[in-house]
Amino acid sequence: MTEFDLTRRQLLKVSAAAASSAVVATRPATEAGAATSAAPAQATQPATVNVLLRVNGTDHQLMLDPRTTLLDALRERLHLTGSKKGCDQGQCGACTVIVDGRRILSCLTLAVMQEGHDITTIEGLGTPKNLHPMQAAFVKHDGFQCGFCTPGQICSAVAMLEEVRAGIPSHVTADLNRKPEAGNAEFRERMSGNLCRCGAYSNIQEAIAEVAGVQR
Ligand code: FES
Ligand code: FES
């Protein structure tokens, strides 16, 4: 399933909420008539939907505006602020999280679309006392400076290595009939969606190469 797939139930939820918002918004003009049409518009609460999110192995029941992105739900409602909002439009990778084993940009998906899926954020990968191997490698190789892009880089790198192991080709895979070779060319290409303003790229590559067990 891709990040853009909606189940029928999720689609109905979003549609119903949007329709009710439209009805509320237009009611003064269509029902109240000319006598009241000059009255100031009443502020209306946005419609909300009930969403069950499974994040880092824990279920969270949330009432959300159906337009809430997964990134905003994680940061603003669940206070999991590891995932960062860099651009909010799919260009920087700072918001990368792992859903059902695949990396996605949480700023480009609605929270309601991820109901029933397994979401892993940087907070769920490891703990300060028990780091994920990729986290430990980033520390060892100084794979960051300011650290803003780092949670997205690490989530992306973890899922990226799984993509290589699963044989999913990239733009630099030479032979599409064979499994891609785990190496720096593949890693650089596959990590190109994660930008680092500090330019820690070479150290990031060293960390990834170590976890993958290849020579840098
Ligand atoms: Fe999602 Fe930049 S914040 S890609
Ligand atoms: Fe600063 Fe990447 S470490 S943006």
Side-chain angles (χ1 to χ4, degrees):
M1 180 177 284
T2 71
E3 64 184 285
F4 299 109
D5 287 335
L6 273 173
T7 64
R8 184 171 180 276
R9 181 161 163 259
Q10 289 164 340
L11 182 62
L12 288 174
K13 271 186 177 180
V14 175
S15 305
S20 63
S21 296
V23 169
V24 170
T26 56
R27 187 175 296 152
T30 55
E31 292 181 2
T36 57
S37 61
Q42 297 288 315
T44 56
Q45 292 292 322
T48 55
V49 291
N50 204 348
V51 182
L52 180 65
L53 290 182
R54 186 167 182 76
V55 184
N56 300 330
T58 303
D59 287 337
H60 301 273
Q61 194 83 56
L62 299 174
M63 290 300 293
L64 295 175
D65 182 319
R67 299 164 296 182
T68 306
T69 64
L70 176 60
L71 177 61
D72 283 342
L74 291 172
R75 288 182 56 84
E76 309 299 333
R77 300 297 302 277
L78 300 181
H79 309 298
L80 294 170
T81 53
S83 308
K84 297 293 185 283
K85 185 181 281 190
C87 64
D88 209 18
Q89 53 185 359
Q91 293 185 344
C92 73
C95 64
T96 306
V97 298
I98 302 171
V99 175
D100 296 339
R102 295 182 59 186
R103 51 189 173 155
I104 69 167
L105 299 174
S106 60
C107 73
L108 288 189
T109 186
L110 298 176
V112 293
M113 295 166 67
Q114 302 309 330
E115 193 173 47
H117 297 278
D118 242 321
I119 302 160
T120 304
T121 68
I122 189 70
E123 292 90 347
L125 275 184
T127 64
K129 291 205 165 131
N130 185 23
L131 294 177
H132 184 282
M134 190 65 77
Q135 292 172 314
F138 267 65
V139 172
K140 177 179 168 187
H141 293 278
D142 268 343
F144 49 85
Q145 289 182 37
C146 76
F148 189 83
C149 72
T150 311
Q153 299 275 4
I154 291 175
C155 285
S156 192
V158 168
M160 180 275 289
L161 290 185
E162 290 305 318
E163 290 166 14
V164 175
R165 286 187 196 114
I168 299 171
S170 77
H171 287 298
V172 298
T173 304
D175 185 349
L176 297 183
N177 294 314
R178 310 177 81 172
K179 273 195 164 190
E181 195 177 325
N184 295 309
E186 285 284 352
F187 300 160
R188 276 199 298 272
E189 165 63 21
R190 291 167 191 264
M191 291 298 292
S192 60
N194 288 85
L195 306 184
C196 174
R197 290 174 299 182
C198 300
Y201 294 114
S202 65
N203 298 31
I204 291 170
Q205 286 296 315
E206 281 175 13
I208 294 172
E210 176 173 300
V211 175
V214 303
Q215 279 288 332
R216 172 84 168 104

